[in-house]
């Protein structure tokens, strides 16, 4: 049985300041996760044969990952626990994130979540999710930790019922998570036996996989390590991708060849898929969309109305009940003003949480982008119809991204207050459209998900 690393989310120092995480109900995420982590560690250490290592609480995220990586063995596993938070206090439940396209890790996540819910059945099940479903499109703890890793959100700190469950039944949480961790760790390969001092170390052996590049089988094979597809570095070089200066990329030397995790190529506009039947990693660089133009707000969209509907319903099955024509409206209104309707559509998904409207906005306002009104009260704007609401959104984007005049009559109440053309790229909306300095990255992550689900990336 491998060892178990466990980290309490938040705490530590980020950018020189202590990071408390979410704050609600007179407590902080860091404080609650440390208390829960300590109980989990106690439960694990009470079980024979279980060895657990606790990540120090004064480390930043990157330092925590480095701390694990310098101590990890191939048979170990790692978990980081968090409490979720949302502006709408009705949000509830537990979920587990795993690295995308890893079936084994998805099974581990389902096992761990089920173990918690057996002990705390009053906790809603929010399911397991790939890390690509997060606002930034990936989670460093899932990507950068070199051993199998999961990130669990045990509840919503901002929900009074979830918070009460956590604080009053913390030991049940701990027992459930500990039981899941033990089952997970026992399912991993055991370490190689320690050879006698006079023998040479036994080298690891990894199962081979095929590599398909743009529809053709590559002449060299990759390997599977901890459930992840790894490819030779020369495959990466053939795509003209330079990973030599990226310290976050996991590299493995196996039989005198350097391998990297295939999924890391997604960050460099390479499509990565998997065919389980033939055990083949599928890499595609012949894309229908030019990656260099992804973040340009002025332009045209690439998806069909059906693809937009499928994406929307895949993230919220009830999304188009109230607004069945919204994808059509975004395509039409954006085309009139020369704005990329895919970008505007993804921004709407971010602002409304896929039309759930969990924040201050209400569906009746027909405000799909958090547009402010003019005048006192600092209230969000309202529009008489969905079409006018979409038109106002498109016009506000055009104000930021272009100096061209509007085609349609102005309905955006704050159009004249924008410094025209100051933000032609998505990243330049960060700190402007919203205070969030990762705002543009979050929209871009959603755009990539839309294009991948539509087979365009």
């Amino acid at each position: 049985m491998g060892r178990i690393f466990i980290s309490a989310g938040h705490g530590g120092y980020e950018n020189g300041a202590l990071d408390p995480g979410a704050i609600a109900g007179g407590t902080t995420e860091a404080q609650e996760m440390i208390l829960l982590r300590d109980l989990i560690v106690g439960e694990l250490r009470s079980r024979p044969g279980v060895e657990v290592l606790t990540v120090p609480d004064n480390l930043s995220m990157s330092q925590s990952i480095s701390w694990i990586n310098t101590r990890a063995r191939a048979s170990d596993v790692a978990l980081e626990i968090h409490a979720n938070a949302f502006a709408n206090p009705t949000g509830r439940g537990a979920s587990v994130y795993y690295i995308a396209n890893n079936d084994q890790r998805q099974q581990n996540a389902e096992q761990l979540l089920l173990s918690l819910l057996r002990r705390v059945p009053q906790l809603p099940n929010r399911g397991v999710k790939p890390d690509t479903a997060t606002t930034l499109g990936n989670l460093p703890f899932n990507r950068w930790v070199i051993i199998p890793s999961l990130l669990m959100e045990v509840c919503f700190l901002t929900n009074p019922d979830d918070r009460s469950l956590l604080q009053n039944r913390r030991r049940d949480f701990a027992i459930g998570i500990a039981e899941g961790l033990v089952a997970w760790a026992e399912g991993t390969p055991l370490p190689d036996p320690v050879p006698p001092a006079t023998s040479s170390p036994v080298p690891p052996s990894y199962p081979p996989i095929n590599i398909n590049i743009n529809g053709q089988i590559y002449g060299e094979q990759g390997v599977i390590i901890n459930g992840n597809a790894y490819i030779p570095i020369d495959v990466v070089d053939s795509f003209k991708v330079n990973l030599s200066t990226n310290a976050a990329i996991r590299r493995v030397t196996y039989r005198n060849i350097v391998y990297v995790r295939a999924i890391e190529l997604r960050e460099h506009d390479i499509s990565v898929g998997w065919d389980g039947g033939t055990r083949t990693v599928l890499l595609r660089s012949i894309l229908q969309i030019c990656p260099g133009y992804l973040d340009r707000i002025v332009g045209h969209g690439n998806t069909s109305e059906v693809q937009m509907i499928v994406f929307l319903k895949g993230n919220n099955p009830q999304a188009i009940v109230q607004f069945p024509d919204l994808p059509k409206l975004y395509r039409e209104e954006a085309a009139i003003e020369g704005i990329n309707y895919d970008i505007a559509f993804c921004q709407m998904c971010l602002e409304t949480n896929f039309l759930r409207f969990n924040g201050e906005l209400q569906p009746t306002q027909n405000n799909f982008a958090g547009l402010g009104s003019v005048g006192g009260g600092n209230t969000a704007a309202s529009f008489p119809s969905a079409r006018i609401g979409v038109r106002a959104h498109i016009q506000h984007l055009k104000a930021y991204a272009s100096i061209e005049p509007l085609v349609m009559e102005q309905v955006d109440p704050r159009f004249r207050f924008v410094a025209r053309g100051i933000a032609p790229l998505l990243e330049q909306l960060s700190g402007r459209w919203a205070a969030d300095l990762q705002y543009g990255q979050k929209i871009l992550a959603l755009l990539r998900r839309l294009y991948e689900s539509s087979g365009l990336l």
Side-chain angles (χ1 to χ4, degrees), residues 245-325:
T245 59
N246 191 337
I249 299 297
R250 167 65 168 155
R251 298 170 176 80
V252 174
T253 300
Y254 177 59
R255 296 180 178 174
N256 299 317
I257 298 173
V258 176
Y259 292 81
V260 298
R261 224 167 15 189
I263 200 169
E264 306 293 355
L265 288 178
R266 281 190 164 188
E267 302 300 318
H268 299 272
D269 304 310
I270 305 297
S271 172
V272 182
W274 174 254
D275 183 344
T278 61
R279 296 182 60 80
T280 303
V281 61
L282 310 174
L283 307 175
R284 185 158 56 94
S285 64
I286 303 174
L287 306 177
Q288 299 181 41
I289 297 172
C290 179
Y293 288 85
L294 278 182
D295 60 349
R296 297 188 182 185
I297 297 170
V298 172
H300 59 81
N302 296 280
T303 56
S304 68
E305 185 179 335
V306 171
Q307 289 169 331
M308 296 169 81
I309 291 172
V310 169
F311 181 70
L312 197 52
K313 292 182 68 175
N315 287 277
N316 177 11
Q318 304 301 314
I320 62 170
V321 172
Q322 188 164 359
F323 299 102
D325 296 328

Side-chain angles (χ1 to χ4, degrees), residues 1-5 68-78 105 108 145-149 184-193 202-206 224-228 230 250 252 254:
M1 176 176 174
R3 302 174 302 171
I4 298 170
F5 287 80
I68 295 172
N69 287 347
T70 56
R71 293 163 175 79
R73 302 171 185 164
S75 57
D76 298 339
V77 299
R105 207 67 62 245
N108 300 145
V145 172
I146 63 175
I147 54 177
S149 58
W184 179 23
E186 286 178 341
T188 59
L190 293 174
D192 293 331
V202 178
S205 179
Y206 301 122
I224 290 289
I225 303 176
N226 291 329
N228 289 291
Y230 278 70
R250 167 65 168 155
V252 174
Y254 177 59

Side-chain angles (χ1 to χ4, degrees), residues 69-90:
N69 287 347
T70 56
R71 293 163 175 79
R73 302 171 185 164
S75 57
D76 298 339
V77 299
L79 174 70
E80 183 160 273
I81 53 173
H82 286 256
N84 211 333
F86 199 68
N88 188 332
T90 61

Side-chain angles (χ1 to χ4, degrees), residues 422-440:
I422 197 170
L425 304 179
L426 271 178
E427 179 60 32
Q428 294 165 328
L429 294 180
S430 302
R432 287 192 171 98
W433 194 293
D436 185 357
L437 297 181
Q438 294 182 312
Y439 184 74

Side-chain angles (χ1 to χ4, degrees), residues 275-398:
D275 183 344
T278 61
R279 296 182 60 80
T280 303
V281 61
L282 310 174
L283 307 175
R284 185 158 56 94
S285 64
I286 303 174
L287 306 177
Q288 299 181 41
I289 297 172
C290 179
Y293 288 85
L294 278 182
D295 60 349
R296 297 188 182 185
I297 297 170
V298 172
H300 59 81
N302 296 280
T303 56
S304 68
E305 185 179 335
V306 171
Q307 289 169 331
M308 296 169 81
I309 291 172
V310 169
F311 181 70
L312 197 52
K313 292 182 68 175
N315 287 277
N316 177 11
Q318 304 301 314
I320 62 170
V321 172
Q322 188 164 359
F323 299 102
D325 296 328
L326 205 61
K328 178 174 179 282
L329 296 179
Y330 268 99
R331 283 169 55 87
E332 292 177 352
E333 294 294 328
I336 291 171
E337 299 292 351
I339 297 299
N340 185 325
Y341 60 77
D342 291 329
I343 284 179
F345 177 76
C346 288
Q347 186 179 24
M348 176 277 295
C349 292
L350 176 63
E351 287 281 351
T352 66
N353 191 17
F354 294 96
L355 294 176
R356 291 185 179 91
F357 294 96
N358 302 122
E360 297 179 0
L361 292 175
Q362 299 299 316
T364 54
Q365 291 176 266
N366 292 306
N367 185 341
F368 306 107
L371 298 179
S373 61
V374 177
N378 294 320
T379 57
S382 294
F383 303 97
S385 68
R387 180 176 288 277
I388 299 303
V390 171
R391 184 173 298 170
H393 178 190
I394 298 300
Q395 289 182 352
H396 207 63
L397 270 176
K398 187 170 184 176

Side-chain angles (χ1 to χ4, degrees), residues 6-9 31-44 53-57 79 81 170 174:
I6 185 164
S7 171
Q31 176 182 332
E32 295 296 330
M33 292 306 99
I34 289 171
L35 291 172
L36 177 59
R37 188 272 321 279
D38 289 346
L39 285 179
I40 296 171
V41 170
E43 286 294 328
L44 291 171
L53 290 85
T54 305
V55 178
D57 295 321
L79 174 70
I81 53 173
R170 202 185 307 273

